[in-house]
Amino acid sequence: MQQLIRTAFVTGGAQGLGRGFSKALLDRGIKVCFADVQASVGKSTETEFKSLYGDDKVMFCHCDVTSVNNLEDSFNAAVKKFGHVDLMVNNAGIGDESKLVQMISINLTAAIQGSQIALEHMRKDKGGRGGRIINVASTAGLIGVYFSPRYCASKFGLVGYHHSMASNPHAKEMGLQFGCLCPAFTDTAIINFDETKMDYYDEGLKFLEAIGINTVDAVVDGFMHFVDNDDINGDIVTVTAQRGFQVKNKHKRKAHL
Ligand SMILES: NC(=O)c1ccc[n+]([C@@H]2O[C@H](COP(=O)([O-])OP(=O)(O)OC[C@H]3O[C@@H](n4cnc5c(N)ncnc54)[C@H](O)[C@@H]3O)[C@@H](O)[C@H]2O)c1
Ligand SMILES: CCCCC/C=C\C=C\[C@H](O)C/C=C\C/C=C\CCCC(=O)O
C-alpha cells in the first residue's frame, strides 16, 4: 500500500499550471508550499489560497529556482512548516527561444536539482519516509519541434532524466517513485508567443492552431493521475486537446525499448 500524500512542494506555482496543480492538491486536503520567482503574483495567490483553505495549509516562497541555495532554502522552509514533503513537483519553466542559457537552467538544471533535493529528503534508506517526484516536461520533450528546438532540448533532457531515475532498481528501497507530465499546448501565459520567442513564428502559430490548446483543468486531471494511483513509477502522462490524457510507461512493458 502506497503511503498517503499529505504535503507537496510545487515550483512555478504562482500562476498557470503550477497554480492549478496546487489548488487541486489543496482541494484534496494536501498541504502545499509553492515557490515562484514572481513575488507579487505569488503573494496574491497565497492570500487567495489561505482564505479558501486556511493559513496552516499553504505557504508561498519567493524563489528563483536557478539558485540552488534559494531552492534548497525554500524546500527546507516547507519541511520546517509541514514536517515533511511527500510530493515534489518541478514545474517552473519558460519557453523563450531567445534565452537559451536561462531556459536550460530553469527547465532542466533546476528540475534536476529540485529532484535531487527532494530525493535526499525523502529516501527511506536515510531516514526519510519516501515520496514522489514529478517533473513537468512537455510533448515537446517526446517529439522534435523545429520552431522551438532549444525548448525541446530542455524538455527531452528532462524526460531522459525521468527515465533514468525511474529505472533505478534501488528506487523501491528508497521509497521513491518518479512521474513525468507531458502536456501539449495549454492555455497559460507561456503560449503568449511573439516573433522574438520562437523560430519560424508564423509556422509555430499555425501548428498550435492546428493541434488545439488544452485547458488548464484538462492538464490538472492528467497530473492527478500521479496522486490518485499507487504504482506510478516511470509513468509519463501526455495531455493533448485531441486525445485528453494518456498514461504511458515503457518501464512496465516487457520489451526494453
Ligand atoms: N502551457 C503550455 O502550453 C505547456 C505545455 C507543456 C508543458 N508546459 C510546462 O508547464 C510548466 C508550467 O508552465 P505554464 O504553462 O504554467 O506557464 P506560466 O508561464 O504560466 O507559468 C510558469 C511559472 O514558472 C515560474 N518561473 C519561471 N521561471 C522561474 C524561476 N527561475 N524560478 C521560479 N519560478 C519560475 C513563472 O513565474 C510562472 O509562475 C513549464 O515547465 C512549461 O514548460 C507548459
Ligand atoms: C513546441 C513549442 C514550444 C514553445 C515553448 C512555449 C510553450 C510551451 C508549450 C508546450 O510545452 C509545447 C507543447 C507542445 C508542442 C509539441 C507537440 C505537440 C504534439 C501534440 C500532438 O501530437 O497532438
Side-chain angles (χ1 to χ4, degrees):
M1 181 68 180
Q2 189 60 39
Q3 183 166 5
L4 263 180
I5 297 170
R6 300 193 194 94
T7 56
F9 186 91
V10 181
T11 70
Q15 65 178 41
L17 288 174
R19 177 195 164 98
F21 304 150
S22 299
K23 187 164 191 314
L25 293 168
L26 287 160
D27 281 336
R28 294 284 169 92
I30 296 167
K31 295 176 182 171
V32 176
C33 174
F34 66 95
D36 205 289
V37 72
Q38 295 188 76
S40 62
V41 187
K43 270 274 150 211
S44 87
T45 299
E46 181 188 46
T47 303
E48 187 194 325
F49 284 170
K50 280 190 167 171
S51 75
L52 285 172
Y53 303 101
D55 285 6
D56 57 326
K57 300 287 192 304
V58 63
M59 72 185 281
F60 166 62
C61 288
H62 181 218
C63 166
D64 182 343
V65 295
T66 64
S67 156
V68 71
N69 290 336
N70 210 180
L71 186 53
E72 210 155 28
D73 288 348
S74 302
F75 189 91
N76 289 339
V79 173
K80 193 168 175 204
K81 183 172 169 91
F82 299 144
H84 191 268
V85 171
D86 303 308
L87 176 72
M88 175 68 169
V89 186
N90 293 297
N91 163 77
I94 64 167
D96 185 342
E97 289 288 303
S98 71
K99 296 186 172 147
L100 172 62
V101 173
Q102 204 184 340
M103 180 132 78
I104 300 294
S105 173
I106 297 169
N107 294 8
L108 180 58
T109 312
I112 294 173
Q113 278 166 334
S115 299
Q116 294 297 139
I117 292 167
L119 179 155
E120 290 303 329
H121 164 72
M122 292 170 175
R123 53 191 297 175
K124 282 183 173 172
D125 58 325
K126 293 210 175 154
R129 65 177 202 212
R132 299 176 183 204
I133 297 172
I134 311 304
N135 281 299
V136 180
S138 166
T139 44
L142 302 171
I143 56 168
V145 183
Y146 70 91
F147 44 82
S148 288
R150 304 159 194 84
Y151 180 80
C152 274
S154 71
K155 296 299 188 179
F156 265 78
L158 192 53
V159 172
Y161 177 77
H162 159 75
H163 279 308
S164 307
M165 298 307 283
S167 70
N168 182 346
H170 306 288
K172 206 165 187 162
E173 74 211 34
M174 291 193 270
L176 298 173
Q177 296 201 68
F178 295 86
C180 184
L181 183 67
C182 289
F185 293 113
T186 307
D187 189 14
T188 70
I190 206 172
I191 64 164
N192 293 335
F193 309 121
D194 61 44
E195 291 82 351
T196 66
K197 292 186 181 151
M198 191 183 264
D199 301 347
Y200 307 101
Y201 168 69
D202 294 339
E203 292 166 44
L205 215 54
K206 277 199 191 118
F207 179 71
L208 180 149
E209 282 162 8
I211 70 165
I213 301 176
N214 292 311
T215 61
V216 169
D217 285 349
V219 178
V220 169
D221 284 347
F223 167 77
M224 292 309 281
H225 164 81
F226 297 116
V227 176
D228 291 337
N229 294 284
D230 280 353
D231 178 16
I232 60 99
N233 189 44
D235 287 359
I236 290 188
V237 170
T238 58
V239 190
T240 61
Q242 301 98 325
R243 294 181 289 281
F245 89 79
Q246 297 179 303
V247 183
K248 295 154 199 204
N249 193 323
K250 75 175 191 180
H251 304 281
K252 287 177 187 158
R253 280 199 247 122
K254 285 212 165 40
H256 207 61
L257 290 170

